[in-house]
Amino acid sequence: MSIVIKAENLNFSYPETESTPKVDALKNISFEIEEGTFTAILGHNGSGKSTLAKILCMILESQTGSLTIMGKDVNSENITDEEIMDIRKEVGMVFQNPDNQIVATIVEEDVAFGCENLGIPSVEIRERVDNALKEVGMYEYREHPVAKLSGGQKQRVAIAGVIAMRRKCIIFDESTAMLDPIGRKDVLNIIKKLNREHNITVILITHYMNEASMADKILVMNEGRIVASDTPEKIFGDPQKMWDIGLDVPQTTEFLYKLNHYGYSFPITVFDPEAVAEIVSKEFSSVE
Ligand code: ADP
Ligand code: MG
């Protein structure tokens, strides 16, 4: 499997201004992301997640360290403008606030916007927009004003925009944070489908531990550093380590972990509530 992103000892600081001190937002960040995988990034507010996301989309430039995206060393002095444009075409981002990423009044115009900027012929744009809207379940709304949609629907339109651009890697920066539970579930299902059925490399920044539990791998950030990088089973298998840095674990894990204090030995990294109900009820019904 090929490596899409490889970061080694990346550092980034926001410079001092008249009113704010210098902020070391990223400190010696190293990680690799394989093509077609689903990576979740966890961490407190201010831990550097969005800064990292912006560096990966080339909105910001890392100051030291090496960063290879799609095989290109983006921190090299020899990288051409054309190569940078190519990477920008491959890596897209969906932000937290659905209202901040709407650029047109009508749904289908909004979805087409990114493709128009890429200079794609209009017949092809039409086809890509229709397919992308079907993919996110918003095709019937194609002629609706974006402003009248719910938050979850707006995020689905934003995602349709990145699908239409045929991004190979999409970073979701807390894209479900402002949504109600139904909107969040819809968006998450689309993210999973893009990853599993379309082989799009997904990086999901989230505060929801159950969302992170669906990833292949979790990166935990704290104060600008990556403090853990492993599978959800390994990361959440040691809840105390997460609690020590003030982060949570999925509720199912916390529940099973606490049950084990009463002398049980349940596996604690079961993330599906139905599966938890099953193993717990089996154990209880066997106790006479
Ligand atoms: P997160 O997304 O994990 O909440 P951020 O990457 O937004 O973290 O922020 C990391 C650190 O950088 C924080 O201390 C934040 O205050 C600071 N920071 C973020 N954006 C800017 C900016 N534009 N100028 C100065 N400091 C910033
Ligand atoms: Mg952020």
Side-chain angles (χ1 to χ4, degrees):
M1 212 181 264
S2 67
I3 304 291
V4 183
I5 296 171
K6 185 178 167 76
E8 276 176 301
N9 295 316
L10 288 187
N11 288 281
F12 181 87
S13 307
Y14 292 98
E16 184 185 350
T17 66
E18 271 176 27
S19 52
T20 57
K22 175 174 173 246
V23 179
D24 296 323
L26 298 180
K27 301 165 192 160
N28 281 319
I29 298 280
S30 300
F31 64 93
E32 277 183 4
I33 291 186
E34 285 179 9
E35 186 181 351
T37 56
F38 185 146
T39 304
I41 303 182
L42 296 175
H44 293 288
N45 286 337
S47 60
K49 305 179 300 295
S50 295
T51 303
L52 178 60
K54 286 175 198 158
I55 286 174
L56 300 181
C57 292
M58 305 194 69
I59 297 172
L60 285 176
E61 214 174 307
S62 60
Q63 287 140 346
T64 61
S66 103
L67 177 63
T68 310
I69 303 178
M70 312 265 172
K72 294 272 166 3
D73 177 358
V74 303
N75 277 3
S76 143
E77 286 176 6
N78 301 327
I79 191 158
T80 64
D81 290 347
E82 207 178 358
E83 285 171 325
I84 291 176
M85 280 309 293
D86 282 345
I87 295 168
R88 289 211 174 110
K89 277 184 205 162
E90 306 287 13
V91 185
M93 191 151 158
V94 178
F95 297 89
Q96 181 182 87
N97 188 339
D99 291 319
N100 290 351
Q101 42 202 330
I102 301 297
V103 288
T105 344
I106 301 297
V107 168
E108 58 185 8
E109 288 167 9
D110 193 76
V111 177
F113 185 79
C115 288
E116 280 159 8
N117 278 347
L118 293 179
I120 295 161
S122 52
V123 181
E124 188 180 336
I125 293 181
R126 176 79 263 160
E127 192 186 319
R128 285 191 186 200
V129 167
D130 286 352
N131 287 339
L133 282 169
K134 284 175 192 163
E135 201 71 62
V136 300
M138 289 297 291
Y139 185 68
E140 303 90 276
Y141 292 86
R142 63 192 177 282
E143 288 170 359
H144 285 226
V146 188
K148 293 230 171 106
L149 303 178
S150 70
Q153 289 172 325
K154 285 179 190 163
Q155 282 304 56
R156 282 150 66 189
V157 170
I159 295 172
V162 282
I163 296 176
M165 290 165 86
R166 307 250 164 98
R167 305 291 206 185
K168 291 207 178 81
C169 175
I170 306 178
I171 303 172
F172 296 89
D173 189 0
E174 299 190 36
S175 310
T176 62
M178 297 176 77
L179 308 182
D180 59 30
I182 293 173
R184 189 179 311 144
K185 211 171 178 179
D186 287 343
V187 168
L188 201 69
N189 283 334
I190 292 165
I191 295 174
K192 278 195 280 183
K193 187 167 79 170
L194 291 177
N195 175 247
R196 292 181 190 161
E197 294 173 22
H198 300 271
N199 203 37
I200 291 174
T201 306
V202 165
I203 301 175
L204 177 74
I205 298 173
T206 183
H207 284 293
Y208 296 102
M209 300 300 147
N210 64 324
E211 293 182 1
S213 74
M214 295 166 189
D216 299 310
K217 193 171 158 188
I218 297 177
L219 303 180
V220 183
M221 293 189 66
N222 196 31
E223 296 175 355
R225 297 177 194 279
I226 294 183
V227 293
S229 157
D230 219 319
T231 59
E233 285 71 21
K234 287 270 171 52
I235 296 283
F236 297 134
D238 188 359
Q240 198 57 53
K241 192 173 169 194
M242 291 295 274
W243 291 328
D244 285 347
I245 55 173
L247 291 172
D248 255 329
V249 296
Q251 285 181 324
T252 51
T253 294
E254 183 170 358
F255 172 68
L256 292 163
Y257 183 83
K258 292 195 167 153
L259 267 181
N260 287 349
H261 285 183
Y262 292 87
Y264 297 101
S265 45
F266 290 112
I268 62 169
T269 53
V270 181
F271 306 125
D272 173 20
E274 298 235 353
V276 171
E278 198 174 307
I279 59 168
V280 172
S281 67
K282 247 187 212 154
E283 172 74 23
F284 286 179
S285 63
S286 70
V287 178
E288 287 305 316

